[in-house]
Amino acid sequence: MDKYGLIGYPLGHSFSISYFNQKFSDEGIDAVYENFELSTIDELAEVLDSNPNLRGLNVTIPYKEKVIPFLDSISPEARAIGAVNVIKVTHQGKNIKLKGYNSDVIGFTKSIEPMLDKKWHKKALILGTGGASKAIDYGLRNLGLETVFVSRYERPETIQYQNVTPEVVKEYNVIVNCTPLGMYPKTEECPLLPYEAMDSHTILYDLIYNPDETLFMKRGAEHGAQTKNGLEMLLLQAFASWEFWHEK
């Protein structure tokens, strides 16, 4: 039986395990998907050694960047982003080859593209600077938007939340939340933004999918903003993972 899995820490919130095991059951695929909670990325070697039937892995926080030195090859897209969230595991005799991909960008761009109007949507704010935000930046640029990262901290090529004025929100009217602010159980939190400056041309996209509507989305919607959560992105990512694992 083939095995697939997820590496990260912690993994209590994992979407992938239920999605893939349901898929295997529904489609009669002789495979199983497991969570591998690693307290350090160095434990990856042990996972590979003790699971000879492993064919593929998903990678989540905090290992999307830390896993790269362990890989034998990496797709051009994942290299440009600087983060990997899918690994194809190939067994060649006693040797194991690992190839890294990034499905975040595919899931995100396919999900947000139908919302974009080239006439109105030319600039975007990316909230957060972690591994996922790099894929979001890559995807938005591919869709032709200018991007700026927003951070709580002073960092090169970012602006801080206190500098996101109503004028900035009018100009950068696509806003993507790549932070955990508002995720269950802390649903009463949201990024500090001038929500009153938003209107029907504002798009608020939240990578969070639990709850269905975050406070970030709710506060924007009150001023007419279009909103979307990260569930469709997750489904599209999972589909892309399967494609990568079975790429010839």
Side-chain angles (χ1 to χ4, degrees), residues 3-174:
K3 187 180 283 188
Y4 301 87
L6 173 68
I7 60 169
Y9 189 88
L11 293 180
H13 62 279
S14 166
F15 161 88
S16 303
I17 191 166
S18 53
Y19 171 84
F20 280 109
N21 282 322
Q22 188 66 51
K23 173 185 173 71
F24 299 154
S25 173
D26 292 347
E27 299 179 23
I29 297 168
D30 188 26
V32 66
Y33 191 102
E34 288 183 14
N35 281 350
F36 299 103
E37 202 166 69
L38 310 184
S39 56
T40 161
I41 190 61
D42 295 323
E43 293 172 11
L44 176 61
E46 189 183 331
V47 169
L48 295 167
D49 288 344
S50 54
N51 294 278
N53 52 343
L54 195 63
R55 298 288 176 265
L57 289 167
N58 289 117
V59 185
T60 189
I61 295 167
Y63 299 133
K64 289 185 180 188
E65 293 152 290
K66 292 176 184 172
V67 78
I68 291 173
F70 292 80
L71 306 176
D72 298 289
S73 58
I74 184 169
S75 73
E77 209 164 45
R79 187 175 298 286
I81 294 163
V84 161
N85 73 327
V86 182
I87 299 171
K88 181 180 181 180
V89 182
T90 308
H91 298 264
Q92 300 174 340
K94 290 186 177 178
N95 294 328
I96 299 172
K97 296 289 182 191
L98 305 178
K99 182 169 183 181
Y101 302 86
N102 192 299
S103 66
D104 279 337
V105 66
I106 298 168
F108 172 68
T109 50
K110 283 186 176 176
S111 179
I112 198 171
E113 192 168 20
M115 302 177 76
L116 298 173
D117 181 334
K118 285 192 167 75
K119 180 182 172 187
W120 294 105
H121 302 124
K122 298 182 165 107
K123 297 182 179 183
L125 293 178
I126 301 169
L127 311 181
T129 54
S133 67
K134 294 179 178 180
I136 300 312
D137 179 52
Y138 186 90
L140 287 168
R141 287 172 180 270
N142 269 6
L143 292 170
L145 280 77
E146 282 182 44
T147 58
V148 170
F149 288 99
V150 184
S151 174
R152 288 174 295 168
Y153 311 106
E154 291 278 347
R155 286 198 171 114
E157 296 176 34
T158 66
I159 64 170
Q160 281 61 59
Y161 282 94
Q162 63 266 29
N163 297 325
V164 180
T165 61
E167 292 73 26
V168 170
V169 165
K170 291 285 187 196
E171 187 180 355
Y172 291 80
N173 57 5
V174 178

Side-chain angles (χ1 to χ4, degrees), residues 195 198-199 204 215-225 227:
Y195 291 91
M198 298 175 184
D199 58 28
L204 297 189
L215 187 56
F216 166 73
M217 294 164 62
K218 198 175 288 181
R219 291 190 63 185
E222 286 168 1
H223 297 279
T227 65

